[in-house]
């Protein structure tokens, strides 16, 4: 069983930065880890994913602004978000799945409870 716990959300002004963290437990050695987000009234949207071999995926909306990383143990996942925009306001979820495309699609088998990110203009 995989367990994911997010932290680091908050409120910032446009142009600001936040770093989200996800504590990962369980056997995820062959899994992809990543983040997706969901704003009220909107569909789930993948943000970024990193596979067990280090391969990366980013949704076009965040390329060049967000960076995903993990520690060597793969027990801590991070999302560094720079140059935040009001459109980035959403609940951000940490996710894990055998398939990276499911993580980036927001349909991963495992997800955390989420952390709220609010960006004001």
């Amino acid at each position: 069983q995989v367990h994911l716990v997010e932290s680091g959300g908050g409120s910032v002004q446009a142009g600001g930065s936040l770093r989200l963290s996800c504590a990962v437990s369980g056997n995820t050695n062959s899994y992809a880890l990543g983040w997706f987000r969901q704003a009220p009234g909107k569909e789930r949207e993948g943000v970024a994913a990193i596979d067990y071999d280090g391969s990366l995926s980013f949704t076009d909306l965040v390329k060049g602004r967000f960076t995903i990383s993990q520690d060597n143990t793969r027990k801590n996942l991070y999302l560094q978000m720079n140059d935040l925009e009001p459109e980035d306001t959403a609940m951000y979820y940490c996710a894990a799945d055998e398939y990276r495309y499911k993580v980036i699609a927001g349909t991963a088998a495992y997800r955390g409870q989420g952390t709220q990110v609010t960006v004001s203009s």
Side-chain angles (χ1 to χ4, degrees):
Q1 188 74 9
V2 176
H3 190 55
L4 307 167
V5 179
E6 305 93 338
S7 61
S11 298
V12 295
Q13 290 192 326
S17 299
L18 281 174
R19 189 192 196 209
L20 305 184
S21 299
C22 176
V24 181
S25 60
N27 187 355
T28 58
N29 289 340
S30 61
Y31 277 43
L33 304 174
W35 300 87
F36 69 91
R37 65 189 184 187
Q38 189 162 22
K42 294 188 177 181
E43 292 193 358
R44 199 174 291 182
E45 179 180 57
V47 175
I50 182 166
D51 221 324
Y52 65 92
D53 62 357
S55 301
L56 303 176
S57 296
F58 290 92
T59 188
D60 288 343
L61 291 173
V62 306
K63 280 182 181 177
R65 299 189 297 122
F66 291 11
T67 303
I68 188 171
S69 62
Q70 61 189 1
D71 66 8
N72 290 337
T73 66
R74 302 200 83 216
K75 294 303 182 185
N76 292 284
L77 180 72
Y78 307 101
L79 184 69
Q80 177 67 42
M81 305 186 294
N82 299 326
D83 194 21
L84 283 160
E85 304 168 351
E87 293 74 21
D88 296 316
T89 295
M91 186 72 80
Y92 282 70
Y93 297 89
C94 180
D97 197 281
E98 292 182 74
Y99 303 101
R100 179 155 43 106
Y101 79 89
K102 287 190 175 182
V103 174
I104 202 67
T107 58
Y110 301 98
R111 72 174 199 184
Q113 293 298 309
T115 185
Q116 178 67 36
V117 171
T118 302
V119 184
S120 58
S121 58

